[in-house]
Amino acid sequence: MNDTFETLNLQAPLLNALKDMGFTHPTPIQKKAFSVVLSGRDVIGIAQTGTGKTFAYLLPILRQLKFSKEKDPRVLIIVPTRELVVQLVSEIGKLSAYMDLRVAGVYGGTNINTQAKMVAQGLDVLVATPGRLLDLVFIRALLLKSVRQLVIDEVDEILNLGFRAQLNSLLDLLPRKRQNLLFSATMTEEVDELIHVFFNGPQLIEVTRAGTPLEKIRQSAYRVPNFNTKLNLLEHLLAHDESMEKVLIFGATKRMADRIHAFLETKFPDQFSATHSNKSQNFRIQAVEKFQDGTLRGLVATDLLARGLDVTDVTHVINVDTPDTPENYIHRIGRTGRADTEGAAITFIAESELEYLSHIETLMEKTIPLLPLPDDSVISTVLTEEEREALYSGKNYMKAPTLLHSSGAFHEKKDKNKKVNLGNATKYRREMKYKKPIKRKPKKKG
Ligand code: CDP
Ligand code: MG
């Protein structure tokens, strides 16, 4: 249990680098994976979010990588997003501080010629997103013939993003004789298939069952009738809970992320930013940096940031939408409670999202405690365009609370209630408390 990194048979440069970073003990996945990766076998490593999967593959890879003047990369690491390329290159830089190692990262959205020149200088380890990697190969700026070790990190997300064809082409281009390494907190059928086709008798190293959330992430949820009420609740939580110091806020779409941010800007000017795939490359990298270094109190993002991102001490993850796949939920909440820290994850659930909740709870084998809406949070009856459309088309029905009788409106409203129509707030809260409608809707007939 108390094994230190010294027992892993690492050479001095790696041990010194780990010491500089303040790490003394390997995590369970790092301990378990080390010798198996060294043995040269293909490996599938499954462990929870934030438990050190990155070093679980980097340590044995760097342990056995010999100094070489060879121009073409011998280690290739494929990740889904540019943010992860940047993060990984930086981690490898720290870990190889006392080694003579050439590492580079390539990703789309930047000048390909600059990157072609960079890789032409020769490198040992290449970190890449699939699309740009293929482009570099196609323009013959990069040869993959020397790759002996391939790591695919967050593979299910690579597939989710529609990179399947690219990944297949890449795997076909790589030398047959190579070691394949795959690390994840979740598994999907698609990933299983890919492993079946491209991996060679892989050894499964499972610290916890795929899809297990971290116990130290305090999970909770609110049932909220509509998007505008979600915004009000978000404001309420941020205004009342001082422990919300470093908050990662997720929205389902770029548009939703922008709207959440626009709203927060009016309530908490300059404390939040929003990032997603429509933002410029520089903006994206800087947004994460400003969130990391505490310049920002919070960052609003799409699922772009749900994967792999290792920002220190995120206190809260807030899901304004309920993720439509349980894997995304696990990864989103996994941005908090990393390494030795604790964290909280709060999810806002509209009626139409209840089915997602049940998928999430099934995967986790755990229920998320529902909290009653705070007494003084403001319930809005104003629906967004999307919610109105859904309402009229009958699909993805998002329930709006029925309006109060006008008889109660003669006396002066309290200040905080003036701006918004409260709707049937009391009834709604009572329903939420008992987790079911007071008056049942008739069941839909087939
Ligand atoms: O990939 P995964 O979600 O499992 O986690 P990660 O991105 O590798 O992040 C693990 C965090 O724990 C990073 O902040 C590491 O610096 C830190 N850490 C570690 O990886 N290994 C240790 N032995 C101690 C800390
Ligand atoms: Mg990771």
Side-chain angles (χ1 to χ4, degrees):
M1 273 320 263
N2 289 321
D3 292 352
T4 61
F5 276 117
E6 311 274 341
T7 59
L8 280 192
N9 181 24
L10 293 162
Q11 51 295 56
L14 281 172
L15 284 174
N16 288 336
L18 286 165
K19 206 188 270 170
D20 286 356
M21 283 184 257
F23 300 152
T24 50
H25 292 74
T27 64
I29 187 72
Q30 290 166 0
K31 223 173 350 185
K32 281 191 167 181
F34 191 74
S35 58
V36 192
V37 175
L38 273 188
S39 78
R41 282 190 70 167
D42 283 4
V43 173
I44 319 285
I46 304 288
Q48 290 155 308
T49 52
T51 58
K53 293 188 286 294
T54 317
F55 286 1
Y57 59 78
L58 285 182
L59 284 171
I61 286 177
L62 297 187
R63 166 74 182 83
Q64 49 84 62
L65 197 62
K66 302 244 157 40
F67 175 80
S68 156
K69 283 188 173 148
E70 166 144 23
K71 184 169 161 281
D72 305 313
R74 287 171 291 156
V75 177
L76 174 63
I77 305 175
I78 304 180
V79 294
T81 63
R82 302 167 195 177
E83 284 78 0
L84 282 181
V85 173
V86 173
Q87 177 178 306
L88 215 50
V89 169
S90 147
E91 291 296 291
I92 297 170
K94 286 186 224 162
L95 210 48
S96 64
Y98 301 103
M99 296 168 65
D100 204 351
L101 186 87
R102 300 162 302 166
V103 53
V106 295
Y107 45 78
T110 47
N111 191 308
I112 191 167
N113 295 321
T114 318
Q115 293 186 341
K117 273 185 208 144
M118 181 172 68
V119 298
Q121 290 170 1
L123 67 165
D124 302 300
V125 179
L126 179 65
V127 187
T129 50
R132 179 50 60 93
L133 180 59
L134 260 188
D135 289 345
L136 284 166
V137 172
F138 284 150
I139 63 167
R140 304 198 65 77
L142 183 71
L143 292 177
L144 298 178
K145 64 172 174 36
S146 301
V147 173
R148 308 239 168 78
Q149 285 172 305
L150 168 73
V151 181
I152 320 177
D153 206 345
E154 306 291 350
V155 62
D156 51 339
E157 181 64 3
I158 297 177
L159 299 178
N160 286 346
L161 291 174
F163 282 129
R164 199 197 169 104
Q166 277 101 327
L167 195 60
N168 285 352
S169 320
L170 279 169
L171 290 166
D172 281 333
L173 284 170
L174 289 170
R176 277 279 146 84
K177 207 169 162 303
R178 62 162 197 268
Q179 181 182 26
N180 299 298
L181 306 167
L182 185 155
F183 284 78
S184 188
T186 54
M187 280 299 265
T188 61
E189 262 173 42
E190 254 196 315
V191 176
D192 267 342
E193 250 175 68
L194 184 112
I195 292 167
H196 191 72
V197 176
F198 290 104
F199 280 48
N200 180 16
Q203 164 108 34
L204 177 68
I205 303 175
E206 215 174 12
V207 173
T208 39
R209 184 185 56 84
T212 312
L214 288 164
E215 286 299 329
K216 60 193 176 143
I217 303 176
R218 269 174 294 119
Q219 299 181 52
S220 60
Y222 292 94
R223 292 226 6 224
V224 192
N226 51 46
F227 183 71
N228 282 313
T229 308
K230 287 182 172 188
L231 292 182
N232 294 340
L233 177 60
L234 182 64
E235 178 193 1
H236 186 280
L237 295 176
L238 288 167
H240 288 79
D241 189 344
E242 280 173 7
S243 72
M244 292 195 172
E245 289 170 0
K246 208 169 185 181
V247 191
L248 187 56
I249 300 166
F250 284 105
T253 59
K254 297 169 212 173
R255 193 161 173 219
M256 196 191 278
D258 282 337
R259 263 197 228 155
I260 296 167
H261 176 239
F263 171 82
L264 289 176
E265 199 51 38
T266 64
K267 308 291 175 185
F268 310 93
D270 301 327
Q271 295 183 26
F272 294 84
S273 182
T275 183
H276 51 65
S277 60
N278 272 7
K279 303 278 184 178
S280 77
Q281 183 49 42
N282 281 343
F283 186 94
R284 278 170 59 172
I285 304 295
Q286 275 171 24
V288 174
E289 275 172 12
K290 282 188 198 159
F291 183 49
Q292 164 74 42
D293 70 21
T295 312
L296 292 169
R297 179 181 180 194
L299 188 58
V300 188
T302 57
D303 281 305
L304 179 75
L305 290 198
R307 299 288 176 139
L309 197 77
D310 186 49
V311 170
T312 34
D313 300 336
V314 172
T315 58
H316 293 75
V317 168
I318 301 181
N319 295 314
V320 173
D321 70 302
T322 309
D324 59 1
T325 71
E327 287 80 17
N328 272 354
Y329 178 81
I330 295 288
H331 289 280
R332 282 187 186 186
I333 70 167
R335 296 317 100 205
T336 183
R338 300 179 70 73
D340 294 326
T341 65
E342 306 213 324
I346 305 169
T347 302
F348 298 171
I349 309 166
E351 175 114 3
S352 61
E353 295 171 317
L354 275 175
E355 58 172 303
Y356 305 149
L357 174 68
S358 78
H359 296 156
I360 291 165
E361 294 186 333
T362 305
L363 177 71
M364 296 195 298
E365 296 179 359
K366 185 182 172 123
T367 52
I368 306 174
L370 274 178
L371 303 177
L373 286 174
D375 280 339
D376 49 349
S377 67
V378 180
I379 305 227
S380 168
T381 54
V382 182
L383 299 184
T384 62
E385 202 180 311
E386 290 90 338
E387 284 169 338
R388 278 199 307 272
E389 262 169 33
L391 191 64
Y392 295 132
S393 71
K395 75 169 189 239
N396 206 2
Y397 173 65
M398 207 175 267
K399 190 179 166 208
T402 17
L403 290 176
L404 274 179
H405 288 289
S406 56
S407 56
F410 288 117
H411 53 81
E412 261 281 274
K413 279 184 180 174
K414 278 190 203 152
D415 256 9
K416 64 173 191 280
N417 292 342
K418 267 182 184 159
K419 49 190 180 221
V420 195
N421 186 337
L422 255 182
N424 196 347
T426 317
K427 171 167 171 282
Y428 190 79
R429 273 199 194 95
R430 201 148 38 97
E431 286 181 4
M432 292 310 103
K433 197 162 164 190
Y434 298 106
K435 295 187 194 173
K436 59 182 180 204
I438 303 287
K439 208 167 126 193
R440 285 183 183 281
K441 280 186 298 178
K443 273 208 181 114
K444 254 193 222 153
K445 282 185 193 129

